[in-house]
Amino acid sequence: MTSKKTVGAMRSPRAILSIVTVAVLGIIVYASRHELQKAWELFGQADVLLLLLLVPFQIVVYFSGGEMIFSYLRDKRDIHHVSRFEQTRISLELNLVNHIFPSGGVSGISYATWRMHKLGVSTSRSTFAQVVRYVTGFLALVCLLVLSVVFLAFDGHVNRYIVASSFVLVLVVVALTFGIVYVFSSKPRMRATAANITRCVNRTVRLATLGKKRKLLRLEHVEQFFAEMQSDFQDMWNRPRLLAKPFLWGVVYTLFDAGMFFLAFLALGTPINPAILMVGYGVASLASVVAFTPGGAGVYELIMIFFLSMAGVRSDAAIAGIVLTRVILLAGTILFGYIFYQHALIKYGKPHDTAIQR
């Protein structure tokens, strides 16, 4: 007979979350079975030596993605007690969570905040560090997109609609970046944002629970949380050099992440214009941020394949290169991140936010 202690352990939050994680991973692998089969066939046709370079490229992507957060926290003297190995672990865990839980990136932010809180970093500071990551990542992407668009504008062989859409993409990214700056640069705007978020979340919770749960967030706690973030923003505004390292790591992240696709096309014997690839990568990356599918799966591939096909790349070549790279990315994400993620759950328990709702 199963003991009460065993049953209780099976019902514990961390056990449930572990089971859910395994189930989600299983669903993702099953849903991708046709792509996996196609990638396996493509793998046999590709240059294996070039494909092997995807492994160090992916490691650099993971590391630089984490450094966009940790270099900021390091300059704020928040994580000097945390080893570089632990920081790299968190980066791998964060990448896994962003890929397997469909929430448009919200799961990753929540997980990283919880994970850093266990290491003594305040929730507001950790959250703002991730805001810095996204802002500097956008800025890095904008700079590389501008260079790509300029190159395409002088290339008479490129469809003018591709050039126009690339220019619109740059404007969108710049607008998003300035929108974040606009909100954080004013305390009244921050308070208004806090009130709107609180109202929106609580209203959604009431609708979802049919009125059984009246409030999830308390306005005073949300305002305090945003006030702490606004203080960080003011410090960053007075010391813009705090953005220098995250921005440089953002450039490294973007170049190596897009470079994985470039390598895959080379391995398949289909070289591709790096400028066109960068613009397609930018369009797909932005779309995957708002796509509520695991890692933007489906949306990311569809947009990149469509864009590259419109830019003159053969459809079969576009499908082959994108599918092969995404499957290798997925396999690397699961392989490198899952063990560390599970270890964190065992050590700390279920992720939850204790800063806003107390």
Side-chain angles (χ1 to χ4, degrees), residues 144-357:
L144 293 171
L145 283 175
V146 168
L147 291 175
S148 300
V149 170
V150 169
F151 180 83
L152 291 176
F154 287 99
D155 188 345
H157 300 289
V158 178
N159 189 316
R160 64 179 181 275
Y161 294 112
I162 297 298
V163 176
S165 62
S166 305
F167 181 71
V168 170
L169 175 63
V170 170
L171 292 181
V172 169
V173 175
V174 171
L176 287 172
T177 303
F178 276 99
I180 294 174
V181 172
Y182 176 77
V183 170
F184 279 99
S185 61
S186 165
K187 288 185 177 180
R189 284 195 290 270
M190 289 289 289
R191 284 195 292 268
T193 302
N196 289 333
I197 289 175
T198 303
R199 190 182 308 112
C200 233
V201 170
N202 287 338
R203 186 177 299 166
T204 303
V205 169
R206 281 197 299 272
L207 289 173
T209 61
L210 300 178
K212 292 181 180 179
K213 189 173 182 64
R214 304 293 297 174
K215 284 185 178 181
L216 178 67
L217 301 179
R218 294 185 179 275
L219 180 58
E220 59 270 24
H221 294 152
V222 179
E223 284 186 341
Q224 180 184 354
F225 173 76
F226 273 80
E228 291 173 358
M229 290 183 64
Q230 207 275 337
S231 175
D232 272 1
F233 174 83
Q234 195 60 51
D235 182 46
M236 184 190 69
W237 189 263
N238 295 331
R239 295 193 296 162
R241 64 179 180 80
L242 288 171
L243 289 178
K245 291 178 183 177
F247 172 77
L248 291 175
W249 281 114
V251 172
V252 173
Y253 176 93
T254 304
L255 287 174
F256 275 83
D257 202 27
M260 292 185 68
F261 292 97
F262 185 76
L263 273 179
F265 279 107
L266 277 183
L268 291 170
T270 312
I272 189 171
N273 186 329
I276 291 176
L277 179 62
M278 179 58 68
V279 176
Y281 166 86
V283 173
S285 297
L286 284 178
S288 66
V289 169
V290 297
F292 281 73
T293 59
V299 176
Y300 192 102
E301 292 86 351
L302 181 63
I303 290 177
M304 275 203 82
I305 291 169
F306 176 77
F307 187 89
L308 294 179
S309 298
M310 287 289 293
V313 179
R314 290 195 339 266
S315 295
D316 58 340
I319 293 172
I322 300 304
V323 168
L324 182 60
T325 309
R326 288 290 281 176
V327 169
I328 291 175
L329 274 168
L330 177 62
T333 296
I334 295 173
L335 177 64
F336 291 124
Y338 184 72
I339 295 174
F340 291 137
Y341 170 79
Q342 280 298 110
H343 181 266
L345 290 185
I346 293 170
K347 184 176 181 180
Y348 297 116
K350 180 183 177 182
H352 61 281
D353 188 356
T354 58
I356 295 180
Q357 182 189 4

Side-chain angles (χ1 to χ4, degrees), residues 92-171:
L92 295 174
E93 295 163 23
L94 173 60
N95 192 275
L96 176 74
V97 171
N98 274 328
H99 273 79
I100 66 175
F101 291 110
S103 62
V106 175
S107 295
I109 293 175
S110 176
Y111 179 82
T113 300
W114 167 79
R115 189 71 166 81
M116 296 304 296
H117 179 73
K118 297 298 183 181
L119 298 175
V121 181
S122 70
T123 300
S124 59
R125 177 63 55 78
S126 176
T127 304
F128 190 77
Q130 293 177 80
V131 171
V132 168
R133 176 193 178 181
Y134 282 106
V135 169
T136 53
F138 279 152
L139 291 174
L141 182 59
V142 165
C143 291
L144 293 171
L145 283 175
V146 168
L147 291 175
S148 300
V149 170
V150 169
F151 180 83
L152 291 176
F154 287 99
D155 188 345
H157 300 289
V158 178
N159 189 316
R160 64 179 181 275
Y161 294 112
I162 297 298
V163 176
S165 62
S166 305
F167 181 71
V168 170
L169 175 63
V170 170
L171 292 181

Side-chain angles (χ1 to χ4, degrees), residues 49-76:
L49 291 178
L50 282 174
L51 284 181
L52 287 176
L53 286 177
L54 290 174
V55 176
F57 266 56
Q58 190 171 14
I59 292 173
V60 172
V61 168
Y62 290 153
F63 184 79
S64 55
E67 281 299 296
M68 293 167 70
I69 298 174
F70 301 133
S71 60
Y72 172 78
L73 292 175
R74 217 174 284 124
D75 285 343
K76 297 289 289 186

